[in-house]
């Protein structure tokens, strides 16, 4: 490696931040300013505005089930546009810059399309360009597989591209520029009383991201934690300091709950009156896994006359496929039937402080009950509690929990 870690910064700009030519010029100005004090800058960009959604719409206008390879070849192009434009804007401002696609930047992924994980980075070209004094603008969201084909790494994945590069290049920090000025106690667009956090631990951020806080891609937090990359989530529209994501949050030891999330696209499947014998759950969830369906919360009701129900949640987009698989399993094992509930939301509270404070779950359930919100399923980890509720109750539940745990008072 040519450079010392402390000399290199990775800055990632999301879709809104590069949403139009003006915004791209503004981003170029910000990068130019950073360049005054930081010699080596790698910039990672998302596609402009809603470009990726539009590309996906286009794909479905020509095919009901787009070929995976061509789908990725198409939806990865949004990032090519913004990277080239930003490099041009930088050059126009007198800052020598070059854009690199995922493949050019040496970002290798698994062979599977649409949600490929990054497997390795060969940073030789990036170092070479930095050596030449260039700001290197890399496309987020994309890489190359062993067939030399372009892959994409999952919606919102540019955050992960940035953190992977920061880890590989030994950057001192990875700045995530977005359209909010940091990580809030919950989505400030849903709960206006949400408060910006000065810092948050990797573990809490990982739970929040996995439970629906869209502000960071879950895998980016995983990678940051593994490689000890400090993240600074901040706004590309202001100069204000944002939220630091790091090892420990030194604050609020007494605070049991740090944040809350809502996922509004859940669905529930119940397989009824299953024979209570070993191997049934194993069979069902193996079949679902084989169909690449992600199962989230699971409950098995206690046995009544040697039979029980198994209930689980999935993303609503998998409901049709998951129902078919479950119906098949129900026939195999002689279960009474399969029931579905397509309109479910999952509301969660997260905080490392809940480990040492009993009664948090009880309080959550009581708040929901007091407001007549029925809990369909519960799941917990050491630092989070999630409840599945009717989708129409989701936003109200989030607001009630935010109030009850006084997250607006942080
Ligand atoms: P980008 O295009 O910059 O990657 P995203 O739309 O992916 O931006 O993520 C930013 C959005 O995340 C915000 O506009 C906000 O509505 C949403 N969000 C959800 N939960 C949170 C949270 N806890 N803190 C901040 N933003 C959140
Ligand atoms: N453009 C991609 C998406 O919309 C990746 C990203 O924005 O992070 O999902
Ligand atoms: Mg994003």
């Amino acid at each position: 490696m040519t450079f010392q870690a402390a000399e290199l910064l990775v800055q990632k700009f999301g879709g809104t931040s590069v949403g139009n030519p003006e915004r791209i010029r503004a981003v170029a100005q910000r990068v130019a300013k950073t360049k005054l004090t930081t010699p080596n800058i790698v910039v990672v960009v998302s596609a402009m505005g809603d470009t990726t959604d539009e590309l996906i719409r286009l794909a479905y206008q020509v095919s009901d089930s787009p070929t995976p390879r061509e789908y990725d070849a198409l939806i990865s192009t949004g990032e090519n546009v913004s990277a080239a434009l930003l490099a041009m804007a930088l050059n126009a401002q007198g800052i020598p810059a070059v854009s690199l696609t995922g493949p050019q930047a040496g970002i290798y992924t698994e062979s599977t399309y649409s949600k490929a994980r990054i497997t390795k980075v060969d940073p030789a070209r990036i170092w070479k360009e930095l050596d030449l004094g260039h700001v290197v603008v890399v496309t987020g969201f994309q890489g190359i597989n062993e067939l030399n084909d372009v892959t994409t790494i999952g919606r919102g994945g540019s955050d992960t591209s940035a953190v992977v590069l920061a880890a590989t290049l030994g950057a001192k920090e990875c700045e995530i520029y977005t359209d909010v000025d940091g990580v809030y106690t919950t989505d400030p667009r849903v709960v206006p009383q949400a408060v910006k956090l000065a810092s948050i631990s990797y573990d809490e951020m990982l739970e929040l991201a996995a439970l629906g806080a869209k502000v960071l891609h879950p895998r980016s937090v995983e990678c940051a934690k593994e490689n000890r990359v400090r993240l600074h989530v901040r706004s590309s529209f202001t100069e204000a300091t944002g939220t630091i994501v790091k090892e420990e949050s030194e604050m609020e030891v007494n605070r049991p709950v740090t944040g809350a999330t809502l996922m509004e696209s859940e669905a529930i499947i119940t397989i009824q009156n299953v024979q209570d014998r070993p191997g049934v759950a194993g069979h069902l969830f193996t079949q679902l896994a084989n169909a690449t369906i992600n199962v989230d919360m699971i409950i098995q009701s206690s046995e009544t006359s040697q039979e029980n129900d198994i209930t689980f949640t999935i993303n609503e987009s998998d409901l049709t496929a998951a129902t078919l698989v479950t119906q098949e399993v129900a026939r195999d094992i002689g279960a009474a039937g399969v029931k579905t509930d397509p309109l479910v939301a999952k509301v969660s509270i997260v905080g490392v402080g809940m480990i040492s404070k009993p009664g948090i779950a009880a309080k959550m359930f009581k708040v929901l009950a007091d407001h007549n919100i029925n809990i369909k399923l519960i799941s917990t980890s050491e630092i989070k509690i999630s409840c599945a509720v009717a989708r129409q109750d989701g936003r109200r539940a989030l607001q009630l929990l935010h109030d009850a745990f006084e997250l607006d008072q942080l």
Side-chain angles (χ1 to χ4, degrees), residues 156-365:
S158 297
D159 299 329
T160 300
S161 309
V163 177
V164 167
L165 288 177
T168 307
L169 302 167
K172 61 175 179 181
E173 187 171 275
C174 183
E175 292 183 330
I176 306 283
Y177 285 92
T178 182
D179 56 5
V180 278
D181 59 1
V183 178
Y184 279 66
T185 48
T186 193
D187 190 338
R189 294 184 205 282
V190 181
V191 178
Q193 300 83 353
V195 173
K196 187 174 94 180
L197 300 163
S199 69
I200 184 168
S201 67
Y202 291 123
D203 287 334
E204 287 170 310
M205 191 63 236
L206 194 52
E207 289 282 12
L208 288 179
L211 293 167
K214 186 177 156 217
V215 64
L216 284 173
H217 192 236
R219 269 155 50 203
S220 72
V221 187
E222 212 176 288
C223 178
K225 177 180 151 98
E226 242 165 58
N227 295 283
R228 299 284 172 267
V229 175
R230 243 169 80 102
L231 303 180
H232 183 178
V233 180
R234 57 193 306 192
S235 167
S236 64
F237 294 80
T238 69
E239 295 287 332
T241 304
T243 302
I244 304 293
V245 188
K246 57 189 173 64
E247 192 56 33
E248 294 292 335
S249 62
E250 57 277 314
M251 38 171 200
E252 295 108 46
V253 184
N254 292 324
R255 186 182 66 184
V257 178
T258 302
T261 59
L262 176 66
M263 286 173 90
E264 290 187 290
S265 55
E266 304 282 293
I268 287 179
I269 299 186
T270 301
I271 177 163
Q272 296 166 302
N273 297 29
V274 178
Q275 280 288 317
D276 192 20
R277 60 181 155 81
V280 167
H283 178 52
L284 171 62
F285 294 113
T286 303
Q287 294 307 104
L288 289 163
N290 289 345
T292 64
I293 292 160
N294 258 327
V295 173
D296 182 16
M297 307 161 94
I298 301 173
I299 52 167
Q300 177 168 315
S301 63
S302 60
E303 172 197 322
T304 44
S305 61
Q306 263 122 47
E307 285 181 347
N308 55 38
D309 290 354
I310 300 176
T311 302
F312 56 94
T313 65
I314 47 164
N315 192 280
E316 67 178 342
S317 61
D318 286 329
L319 183 59
T320 311
T323 306
L324 285 174
V325 171
T326 311
Q327 280 166 340
E328 215 165 279
V329 172
R331 271 193 300 274
D332 288 352
I333 62 176
V338 173
K339 231 176 43 183
T340 61
D341 179 350
L343 292 174
V344 179
K346 179 166 80 167
V347 63
S348 309
I349 55 173
V350 171
V352 286
M354 68 175 69
I355 296 175
S356 52
K357 196 152 191 295
I360 301 301
K363 179 168 172 179
M364 178 179 191
F365 305 152

Side-chain angles (χ1 to χ4, degrees), residues 12 14-15 46-47 49 52-53 75 79 140-141 154-159:
K12 179 259 173 179
S46 291
T52 312
D53 291 331
I75 71 166
E79 273 68 14
F141 189 47
R155 294 305 307 273
S158 297
D159 299 329

Side-chain angles (χ1 to χ4, degrees), residues 2 8 10 56 65 117 184 200 266 287 310 377 396:
T2 326
L8 192 142
V10 174
I56 291 172
S65 56
R117 294 178 70 101
Y184 279 66
I200 184 168
E266 304 282 293
Q287 294 307 104
I310 300 176
L377 262 79
R396 194 160 59 93

